[in-house]
Amino acid sequence: MLNLVLFGPPGAGKGTQSNLLINKYNLVHLSTGDILRSEIAVGTALGLEAKTLMDRGDLVPDEVVICMISSKLDNNADANGFVFDGFPRTTAQAEALDALLVDKGTSISAMLSLKVEDKELIKRLLERGKDSGRADDQNERIISNRINEYNNKTAPLKAYYHAQNKLSEIEGVGSITEIAKKLNTVIDTL
Ligand code: AMP
């Protein structure tokens, strides 16, 4: 199986690149942000609980997202592999993911980390906010909180995967095609 963690701060281009990767390598896209937003759209209790946190730009509890990923892995037992987008975001999530994959006789193949400056991230997210309808893309204070959450709780995961020899850092600035090419080059050497 090919199991990729597509990593980076909010606005780094993870969603866009995930869509290209799942088509090229025939993988299943698992974005915890997308799953949470669909729970909100349907109006589930989980969605309601998550919405307050998401609208503030805070992370939702580890148990919630770990449970969601676990059921998605079970529901896609015959997948060729997965692109994890926006997950894991904490050390507890990374450890839980490793354990879930061990249970399935597989593991993370690589973490592909997109590097983009904060100023560019804020510009991209405010631009996306004009169409996305996402409250968390429309307010610079909430965007800054999301970037802080990333720096404090999520960025340390680079060291976690580096220690497993799985980290590749990729410049996330340039055209979508250029960035995709760089990702493909790393994946093709795995
Ligand atoms: P995203 O679509 O990845 O930018 O996520 C949007 C929001 O959903 C985040 O700001 C968090 O509130 C929540 N979220 C998504 N994925 C996770 C995760 N793995 N852990 C905790 N919160 C998450």
Side-chain angles (χ1 to χ4, degrees), residues 44 53 66 95:
T44 62
L53 295 164
I66 292 167
E95 287 170 353

Side-chain angles (χ1 to χ4, degrees), residues 7-176:
F7 196 74
K14 301 186 295 293
T16 304
Q17 294 298 333
S18 290
N19 284 325
L20 299 174
L21 290 175
I22 57 166
N23 288 327
K24 185 168 168 65
Y25 297 98
N26 187 26
L27 305 171
V28 173
H29 184 197
L30 293 183
S31 154
T32 39
D34 285 351
I35 302 167
L36 287 165
R37 280 183 291 276
S38 66
E39 295 278 340
I40 292 171
V42 181
T44 62
L46 189 156
L48 277 177
E49 185 197 331
K51 186 177 183 332
T52 320
L53 295 164
M54 291 170 75
D55 284 350
R56 288 205 296 254
D58 291 339
L59 294 187
V60 306
D62 287 334
E63 315 80 78
V64 172
V65 285
I66 292 167
C67 185
M68 281 176 3
I69 286 289
S70 172
S71 79
K72 292 286 175 188
L73 291 177
D74 289 342
N75 294 344
N76 289 282
D78 52 359
N80 228 4
F82 296 91
V83 176
F84 297 96
D85 162 7
F87 181 90
R89 261 175 155 102
T90 62
T91 305
Q93 292 178 24
E95 287 170 353
L97 179 59
D98 277 351
L100 287 170
L101 293 175
V102 165
D103 282 349
K104 309 223 169 292
T106 185
S107 61
I108 291 296
S109 315
M111 169 192 263
L112 308 167
S113 175
L114 295 170
K115 227 168 58 183
V116 180
E117 296 286 323
D118 285 3
K119 228 175 107 189
E120 171 70 13
L121 297 172
I122 295 167
K123 194 178 107 198
R124 287 186 189 180
L125 290 170
L126 286 172
E127 192 55 37
R128 186 173 79 181
K130 292 180 187 166
D131 302 317
S132 71
R134 284 176 56 172
D136 62 346
D137 282 347
Q138 290 173 14
N139 173 312
E140 205 163 328
R141 195 178 43 79
I142 296 170
I143 291 174
S144 293
N145 188 38
R146 291 165 67 196
I147 295 174
N148 282 341
E149 287 278 81
Y150 173 81
N151 287 330
N152 294 334
K153 298 175 184 167
T154 307
L157 291 184
K158 280 191 265 183
Y160 180 91
Y161 288 97
H162 178 65
Q164 296 184 21
N165 242 329
K166 290 178 179 173
L167 170 67
S168 288
E169 295 208 74
I170 290 118
E171 195 59 58
V173 181
S175 74
I176 292 173

